[in-house]
Amino acid sequence: MTIRETAMPSASFANAKLQQLSEPLLQEVTDFIDFVIHKHQVKIAESQPDESPVEKWSQWFEAVNSLFL
């Protein structure tokens, strides 16, 4: 079982909670998710300094596109 498969019940639970939020709170959650993604990408960039900016942006877009809200 993969981490993603293990997280699916948690994802369903989180999705149910997200649906209960008002629009301003949902925007705040979205901003926080963007912050976490950015923070993770910075760590990746620091650990792999030889990557080109194009590759870094590509990884970032892939990470953002894989989000399910």
Side-chain angles (χ1 to χ4, degrees):
M1 183 175 281
T2 67
I3 291 174
R4 199 170 284 282
E5 289 169 340
T6 305
M8 288 310 288
S10 296
S12 296
F13 182 69
N15 189 35
K17 285 189 165 197
L18 287 171
Q19 290 178 2
Q20 296 174 3
L21 295 177
S22 65
E23 196 62 35
L25 288 176
L26 189 57
Q27 183 58 51
E28 190 172 336
V29 170
T30 302
D31 292 344
F32 179 72
I33 291 169
D34 290 342
F35 165 75
V36 171
I37 291 170
H38 174 73
K39 181 178 162 184
H40 178 71
Q41 292 299 320
V42 168
K43 286 181 182 179
I44 290 173
E46 290 172 353
S47 68
Q48 300 172 350
D50 296 323
E51 289 185 85
S52 73
V54 172
E55 292 172 14
K56 290 179 189 175
W57 276 108
S58 176
Q59 289 176 354
W60 185 84
F61 281 115
E62 287 175 23
V64 170
N65 286 336
S66 69
L67 292 176
F68 177 77
L69 293 179

